[in-house]
Amino acid sequence: MLQRIAMLAGALAAAALISPAVMAASITVNTTTDVVNASDGACSLREAISAVNTATPSGSAAGECSAGDGNADTVVLAAGTYTLSLAGADEDGNAAGDLDVLASVVLQGAGMDQTTIDAAGFGASNDRALDIPATGLLVSLEDLAITNGHAPDASQSSTGTGEDGGAIRVQSANVSLVSVALRNNQAGAGTVDTFPLTSGNGGAIAISGGQLTVERSVVAANSCVTSGLGSDMGGGIYALATAVSISRSSIENNTVDGGSGGGIYCGSGCGLDVRQASITGNTAGAGGGIYMLGDALVIANTTLAQNVGYTFGAGAYVVQQTAQQADPRFDFVTLVANQGDGISFYSAASVAGSVLLRNSVVAGNSGDDCVMTASGSLASQGYNLLGATCAAGSNDVAASLNNLHLGPLILDDQGLTWVKLPGPTSAAINAGNCAASALNVDQRTTARPQGVPRVINKFDGCDIGAAELGDDIFWDDFEDHAGAG
């Protein structure tokens, strides 16, 4: 009997430990209207988030939002457009303006092409869509889109500066975006040619502290507007002191107006890990695709193409100022056809760091493909296809218009990322080494190596660059694009 009582007590204790996760609430939004009304029998998105924040229902009538329990509740959004319209910039209680998330939550849509949170309803009042100001939260956005967010401009903000985060602003929380589209959002504009600088950063998302995970998502056509002095940063993503992980996602056509990091700005204390992704068509003064000032940069199985950098690093600009910053690593990367320099790397004399490059194509950019300044250097780890300004190492191949032979920028089979396939006559074919990188898939998740018939393997049959060619007959509309960089 005593043994049975002890077992029962143990089971009850275990149940008590796991019960919060079991009891997490699910709140279903049943209106697309942005309304707060405790007696209308409707549960709006704003009311659902307040129910999570406060662990109280939005009202007692049937159809109102049920109470959250403060334990990573799920807010369910059916297909439709949820237009935010209750204006009230810098209001932080979720009564008006952007949606203030003050407790851990999952926002679950029906698909990023079906469920949209639209901040256009604020009109000239301007506000972002989501503000996550509380530290330590776990916030997950899944299967939805956020569009037309516009963080308050300097003329509207209580701070007198353009605010960060056109769609989402985060302070020290752990945020994940899974199958999310952030499109056509804008950070707050500054005032013209004033000092100190007053532009907002992060056209789509601005995060300081915590973690940001972006998976199977699209960050596209977002922007920052300068104060006239090129101070804006992060047309797509702006991150400080944050661990940023991006996979199977596209960062495309984002813009900063003269500043840094058209696609991604990773500042002090930021670590950036990008895998099986594409960073294309972004524009900035420096770092058209990526501006990296943080602690660690790893890019693998990723395409950086058609980005624009007016001063440094159209593809990527990496600054290494302290010994705490690890050497940046590029593995199975295709970095081509950028308007400006390909990779620009600055390493302070006290650091004398190196860009570690392996199994990658860096060629065909309109400026120098590799620019190493101060005490920075390129440390080839082999199996690269490199332009003339990149210091080649053993097992590297010199690139030219006669052997580069890459196809046009096309969407992968899953419609997630942009990729340039090497043609059957490209010097990249069968010239890489999978074992050296310990990677057995490409950007599209295609298995490596495929091995192109009639081309001799130099090593283990892997192709150099982000994409592994598997069909040498119907690969990209035949050879019409041979030489396209």
Side-chain angles (χ1 to χ4, degrees):
M1 177 63 75
L2 290 175
Q3 184 180 18
R4 184 181 270 176
I5 291 173
M7 291 175 62
L8 177 60
L12 290 173
L17 288 174
I18 65 172
S19 61
V22 174
M23 293 298 292
S26 180
I27 302 170
T28 300
V29 175
N30 57 27
T31 178
T32 59
T33 304
D34 188 17
V35 63
V36 176
N37 186 332
S39 59
D40 66 352
C43 176
S44 70
L45 173 57
R46 186 179 300 275
E47 288 174 319
I49 290 176
S50 289
V52 171
N53 291 343
T54 63
T56 59
S58 62
S60 57
E64 292 289 338
C65 302
S66 57
D69 66 6
N71 190 46
D73 306 313
T74 297
V75 173
V76 179
L77 299 167
T81 299
Y82 298 78
T83 301
L84 304 179
S85 59
L86 294 178
D90 295 329
E91 187 281 332
D92 294 325
N94 198 45
D98 53 29
L99 301 171
D100 299 300
V101 177
L102 307 176
S104 296
V105 68
V106 177
L107 299 185
Q108 177 67 65
M112 65 173 156
D113 58 347
Q114 297 184 58
T115 299
T116 300
I117 300 173
D118 190 343
F122 293 134
S125 297
N126 289 346
D127 213 341
R128 65 183 65 81
L130 293 180
D131 195 11
I132 308 173
T135 62
L137 299 185
L138 301 176
V139 179
S140 180
L141 277 60
E142 302 175 4
D143 299 302
L144 55 82
I146 298 178
T147 189
N148 295 321
H150 183 153
D153 295 333
S155 59
Q156 301 168 306
S157 173
S158 60
T159 65
T161 62
E163 294 188 12
D164 296 343
I168 307 170
R169 182 175 64 178
V170 185
Q171 180 64 46
S172 297
N174 294 340
V175 175
S176 65
L177 310 178
V178 181
S179 296
V180 168
L182 303 179
R183 292 192 177 97
N184 300 309
N185 302 286
Q186 180 182 312
T191 51
V192 176
D193 291 334
T194 58
F195 193 86
L197 305 174
T198 59
S199 296
N201 305 307
I205 183 168
I207 181 169
S208 179
Q211 297 179 1
L212 174 64
T213 302
V214 182
E215 182 180 345
R216 300 195 309 276
S217 294
V218 177
V219 180
N222 304 284
S223 63
C224 297
V225 178
T226 186
S227 62
L229 296 172
S231 61
D232 46 341
M233 295 175 285
I237 297 171
Y238 173 81
L240 298 177
T242 303
V244 180
S245 174
I246 300 172
S247 63
R248 294 295 293 133
S249 297
S250 174
I251 314 297
E252 59 184 85
N253 300 326
N254 303 287
T255 304
V256 295
D257 187 12
S260 305
I264 303 168
Y265 179 95
C266 196
S268 178
C270 172
L272 179 60
D273 190 298
V274 182
R275 297 175 189 266
Q276 296 179 297
S278 60
I279 301 171
T280 60
N282 304 286
T283 300
I290 296 173
Y291 187 103
M292 181 66 189
L293 192 62
D295 292 341
L297 173 66
V298 176
I299 305 179
N301 277 327
T302 292
T303 297
L304 293 96
Q306 297 182 7
N307 301 289
V308 178
Y310 294 116
T311 55
F312 302 106
Y317 182 44
V318 183
V319 179
Q320 190 182 50
Q321 295 178 314
T322 69
Q324 285 70 41
Q325 294 172 263
D327 286 337
R329 189 168 83 240
F330 293 74
D331 224 336
F332 280 118
V333 169
T334 297
L335 198 153
V336 300
N338 296 286
Q339 298 304 302
D341 298 331
I343 299 174
S344 292
F345 179 53
Y346 173 93
S347 184
S350 59
V351 182
S354 299
V355 174
L356 308 180
L357 194 68
R358 181 169 51 201
N359 278 314
S360 295
V361 181
V362 183
N365 301 286
S366 70
D368 290 338
D369 294 309
C370 296
V371 177
M372 304 291 123
T373 57
S375 295
S377 63
L378 176 65
S380 169
Q381 297 182 315
Y383 322 107
N384 300 296
L385 181 57
L386 300 177
T389 57
C390 301
S394 60
N395 301 319
D396 289 341
V397 180
S400 70
L401 285 177
N402 294 324
N403 70 3
L404 192 53
H405 295 184
L406 302 181
L409 202 59
I410 58 174
L411 273 175
D412 65 30
D413 294 341
Q414 299 174 47
L416 288 172
T417 66
W418 294 92
V419 66
K420 276 179 169 284
L421 292 174
T425 58
S426 172
I429 296 295
N430 293 6
N433 191 326
C434 293
S437 296
L439 294 172
N440 58 10
V441 295
D442 76 350
Q443 177 179 314
R444 305 163 297 162
T445 71
T446 298
R448 293 185 188 269
Q450 289 288 312
V452 174
R454 298 170 294 281
V455 179
I456 297 173
N457 293 350
K458 287 189 176 181
F459 302 100
D460 59 12
C462 263
D463 298 340
I464 298 173
E468 182 81 6
L469 186 66
D471 181 352
D472 64 331
I473 303 298
F474 301 103
W475 68 282
D476 83 327
D477 196 18
F478 300 97
E479 275 288 305
D480 292 343
H481 304 283

